[in-house]
Amino acid sequence: MPKSDKEVQDAVKCAAESKLTVSVKPGGHSYEGYWQGEKGGMVINLRQIKQIDIDCESKTVSVGAGSLLGPVIAELWKVKGVLPHGLQPQIGMGGQTLGGGFGLLSRKYGLLVDRVVEMTVVTSDGKSRVVSKDKDGDLFFALRGAGGGSYGVVTQFKYKYIEMARNLTVVRFNWNTDACNFTTVLGSIIKYYNSNPTRGATHYLSLSPGGQIELGVTYSNKKRETHKQAIQALEKIVTPPTTKDEQYLNFINAFLFYAGLAGKPSSSDVNGLAATKSETDQRFFKGRSGFLDKSKQLTEKTMEALADLLTPAGSNLFVLIDLWGGNIEKVKDFSFVHRDIFASVQIGATSENTLSLADNVHRHCSLTSRVLTRTTLT
């Protein structure tokens, strides 16, 4: 558990001399526990490298790779700064950044990795390098999207943050469906997804057993009038919901709202985010994930199959479909190769008796195999 870049260098040199494989644990989510590496290898746990330094003049924030997301959000909010990160306070900054990092503001501001302007990385020769677009550009290119332990141990990230003093509009739509209207409702939402919604809107679609469908939309454009126009455009396409909840929130409260949808937030305000700790509870969880290509999406046949699977099912399963597009696909000089996708899909089973159901949902969605994970936490 190194406390400095120098100690990471020493660990890498020691591993090389001892011919040990090295795996890295930034400190956040790792369902399968791949950070444990091979038996007899070395684990470099970056949890203690978690400094957060803000430079208001350059509008950048330097973050230790072992930092959790919650404290980073809280520190940035002191200067009304935000990043397009994920939705759980316990996510580690290292893993989500090197893997792309889709989040609440991504359709407007891109992926989290798009905001990285500099990284400090210890390479296999034990040397520490500060890389950027202008310095070691090839390595910098590779790390941004394909750097999850492949090219070295990243110990620090420098991000260009976004100033956001304005509030966001958050709207949550709920549909209580059954086998008769599940396909109609889901089809109307996919039709809306295909309507090229404003880049200032980020979407969170949740399908639950029993036919519960929930769509959360966050509007981050500067003018609230633009938010209202976008909501009206959405409501002209989707089937009228069972309930609708609309709120005008600052970024912190919008984040906590979505963290509550994605699970159980560990904090209720910015002070709670600052005090975020790693999860220690143990529970069963098995996940499948992948991407929907633009050419495939969700056909009517697929939606009918989902209706047959989900509407009669009990609890302990969830399906999340996040719309991509917007400014995500505009960036070209990165090694992250999935920018042209239609949506990302996550399928989670929280009990062993729903594992086969999760597999069936995954199969019927025809998810692309270019990213396919099977994860567990027990």
Side-chain angles (χ1 to χ4, degrees):
M1 297 183 70
K3 297 180 180 179
S4 66
D5 197 75
K6 175 62 168 58
E7 291 185 6
V8 174
Q9 290 180 262
D10 292 342
V12 170
K13 291 175 182 176
C14 174
E17 292 171 359
S18 304
K19 297 183 179 179
L20 298 174
T21 59
V22 174
S23 57
V24 186
K25 178 176 171 60
H29 291 185
S30 179
Y31 300 143
E32 286 284 1
Y34 292 132
W35 60 268
Q36 297 174 79
E38 296 182 15
K39 185 176 181 180
M42 176 186 288
V43 176
I44 299 178
N45 188 328
L46 300 175
R47 184 179 299 177
Q48 298 191 72
I49 302 180
K50 54 184 180 180
Q51 82 287 348
I52 305 169
D53 299 311
I54 296 175
D55 185 334
C56 294
E57 185 175 344
S58 63
K59 294 182 175 55
T60 59
V61 55
S62 297
V63 176
S67 299
L68 299 181
L69 179 54
V72 175
I73 294 174
E75 198 65 26
L76 272 175
W77 192 242
K78 294 177 182 178
V79 296
K80 291 296 185 288
V82 300
L83 289 168
H85 45 62
L87 292 174
Q88 286 293 307
Q90 299 89 357
I91 297 174
M93 295 301 292
Q96 68 166 325
T97 302
L98 296 172
F102 175 85
L104 190 57
L105 301 174
S106 286
R107 295 190 74 250
K108 186 172 180 63
Y109 296 106
L111 301 174
L112 181 59
V113 72
D114 298 347
R115 309 300 301 184
V116 177
V117 295
E118 189 177 279
M119 297 186 216
T120 302
V121 55
V122 177
T123 47
S124 59
D125 55 8
K127 294 181 180 179
S128 180
R129 307 166 190 265
V130 178
V131 300
S132 65
K133 188 174 183 179
D134 299 323
K135 185 178 180 181
D136 283 329
D138 286 346
L139 179 55
F140 187 58
F141 171 90
L143 288 170
R144 292 182 299 170
S150 301
Y151 302 102
V153 183
V154 179
T155 59
Q156 181 173 286
F157 300 90
K158 180 184 282 189
Y159 307 91
K160 186 82 171 179
Y161 65 78
I162 305 152
E163 290 185 307
M164 185 169 286
R166 63 185 180 277
N167 283 0
L168 312 174
T169 296
V170 177
V171 189
R172 178 170 56 181
F173 301 89
N174 280 283
W175 290 266
N176 297 325
T177 72
D178 53 31
C180 296
N181 67 343
F182 180 93
T183 300
T184 301
V185 172
L186 181 56
S188 72
I189 297 171
I190 297 302
K191 182 179 179 181
Y192 162 70
Y193 272 18
N194 277 309
S195 69
N196 191 28
T198 171
R199 291 173 179 173
T202 300
H203 309 79
Y204 178 102
L205 174 60
S206 173
L207 312 179
S208 303
Q212 186 73 27
I213 298 178
E214 185 168 63
L215 174 65
V217 190
T218 298
Y219 299 95
S220 55
N221 291 309
K222 292 183 179 180
K223 295 181 180 180
R224 194 176 182 187
E225 184 61 34
T226 306
H227 302 176
K228 294 178 181 178
Q229 294 170 359
I231 295 170
Q232 291 170 357
L234 184 156
E235 291 178 322
K236 288 179 180 179
I237 299 175
V238 300
T239 302
T242 307
T243 62
K244 171 188 171 183
D245 176 25
E246 181 177 334
Q247 301 180 57
Y248 193 52
L249 306 170
N250 66 32
F251 178 79
I252 295 295
N253 289 329
F255 172 84
L256 291 169
F257 171 86
Y258 275 100
L261 292 184
K264 291 185 177 180
S266 60
S267 44
S268 58
D269 56 23
V270 68
N271 294 325
L273 288 172
T276 298
K277 304 294 184 184
S278 297
E279 292 185 81
T280 56
D281 61 316
Q282 294 187 338
R283 62 193 186 280
F284 180 90
F285 177 78
K286 199 76 173 180
R288 304 295 302 270
S289 63
F291 290 136
L292 284 171
D293 285 330
K294 290 180 179 179
S295 60
K296 294 180 179 178
Q297 301 183 22
L298 291 181
T299 64
E300 186 171 348
K301 183 178 179 181
T302 298
M303 289 187 282
E304 289 173 353
L306 289 175
D308 291 340
L309 290 167
L310 290 174
T311 52
S315 57
N316 304 317
L317 181 80
F318 64 82
V319 181
L320 307 179
I321 304 175
D322 293 309
L323 179 67
W324 283 46
N327 287 326
I328 297 173
E329 57 187 333
K330 294 189 72 174
V331 183
K332 303 299 180 185
D333 60 337
F334 287 68
S335 57
F336 186 82
V337 299
H338 313 293
R339 295 184 180 276
D340 60 339
I341 65 161
F342 176 67
S344 59
V345 181
Q346 300 174 64
I347 305 161
T350 55
S351 70
E352 289 189 72
N353 59 12
T354 52
L355 279 178
S356 61
L357 180 57
D359 288 340
N360 283 334
V361 171
H362 186 278
R363 178 168 51 85
H364 281 289
C365 285
S366 301
L367 301 182
T368 179
S369 60
R370 51 181 177 173
V371 167
L372 179 61
T373 59
R374 185 176 179 89
T375 55
T376 186
L377 173 63
T378 56

